[in-house]
Amino acid sequence: MTTPARILLVEDDETIRDAVATALTAEGFTVGALPDGRAFVGELASFMPDLVVLDWMLPGASGIQLAATARTTTDCGVLMLTARDEVDDRLRGFSEGIDDYLVKPFAMAELIARVTAVLRRRGRIPAVIEVADLVIDVDGARSRRADAALELTATEFRLLSFLAESRGRTLSKGQILTQVWGYDDVDPNVVEVHLSSLRRKMEANGPRLIHTVRGIGYRLSA
């Protein structure tokens, strides 16, 4: 990526807005933030975002209305933050061209992962991740270390991709379960089982990259 992806955040809750903007900035994105939709049209034209992150329930124009505006005036992606998790609501949003949803309350690591996924699908983030001698071809579902192919299960590949996309950050078991398995109401030991298998395969070709942070979770780093 030659220039950082540009993300426009519209969220009326100041605490959430500041936390999300700080997290996205820390990931290297260029971030603009608004408390409501009053300046949204002008900001779309001047800021030219690659992705807009919208709260559904905003004062004045709703997130759905702003998403429709973004879709008719730009080619940016749309990620919706919402407390509404009904199927009809999600279907309505997808019919308006929303790329993805994230239900509140959410883990910041999951937000980063979903933002990254939308930007990758839209061609703003390379589909290849490199960490030391680890190379992951996300679109091709292939990975290798030191030029040796890693023979991973589908779950192991999703797990490795999520850890690599979040490289340098410590992720809890709950965050990993939510992102890799899609839910967190199962035995968290399933994470340890898959991580153990993934580590064995990776460490057959190089030093450890996936580290345990005791009492917190796991981190992938060189």
Side-chain angles (χ1 to χ4, degrees):
M1 185 165 61
T2 57
T3 60
R6 303 173 71 82
I7 301 174
L8 178 59
L9 168 66
V10 187
E11 167 62 64
D12 62 321
D13 185 308
E14 183 177 3
T15 300
I16 296 176
R17 186 171 67 249
D18 290 347
V20 171
T22 298
L24 291 172
T25 301
E27 289 299 309
F29 299 117
T30 300
V31 181
L34 297 172
D36 53 49
R38 286 177 293 182
F40 185 68
V41 173
E43 199 70 7
L44 283 178
S46 61
F47 189 68
M48 295 184 294
D50 299 292
L51 173 70
V52 291
V53 179
L54 304 170
D55 183 23
W56 182 304
M57 303 298 290
L58 289 167
S62 70
I64 286 288
Q65 291 173 306
L66 297 186
T69 298
R71 276 287 181 246
T72 56
T73 59
T74 76
D75 63 352
C76 68
V78 179
L79 172 64
M80 186 72 73
L81 306 179
T82 178
R84 308 167 68 121
D85 194 27
E86 297 297 325
V87 172
D88 287 346
D89 291 330
R90 293 200 301 271
L91 292 176
R92 178 189 172 195
F94 287 129
S95 71
E96 295 287 347
I98 291 170
D99 293 278
D100 202 358
Y101 274 92
L102 188 55
V103 178
K104 296 179 180 180
F106 54 82
M108 204 61 72
E110 184 178 4
L111 170 70
I112 299 299
R114 288 181 181 273
V115 164
T116 301
V118 173
L119 289 170
R120 179 176 292 116
R121 290 197 300 268
R122 302 186 68 82
R124 281 296 283 122
I125 291 182
V128 175
I129 305 171
E130 297 186 33
V131 183
D133 63 348
L134 170 67
V135 180
I136 303 170
D137 177 357
V138 178
D139 289 345
R142 296 185 296 267
S143 58
R144 67 180 189 272
R145 283 206 73 182
D147 294 324
L150 295 173
E151 299 298 330
L152 306 180
T153 66
T155 299
E156 288 169 350
F157 184 80
R158 291 196 305 272
L159 176 57
L160 178 60
S161 297
F162 179 49
L163 290 169
E165 288 172 347
S166 307
R167 55 194 176 277
R169 298 200 308 277
T170 300
L171 305 171
S172 69
K173 288 182 181 178
Q175 290 171 329
I176 293 171
L177 283 169
T178 298
Q179 183 61 28
V180 177
W181 277 266
Y183 45 82
D184 61 3
D185 58 347
V186 296
D187 185 351
N189 289 327
V190 70
V191 176
E192 294 180 9
V193 172
H194 283 83
L195 271 172
S196 178
S197 175
L198 178 58
R199 276 173 164 162
R200 284 196 303 272
K201 294 176 180 180
M202 291 182 62
E203 291 170 19
N205 298 298
R208 173 160 293 189
L209 290 179
I210 301 174
H211 308 280
T212 300
V213 182
R214 294 191 181 278
I216 303 177
Y218 304 92
R219 181 184 68 244
L220 188 147
S221 59

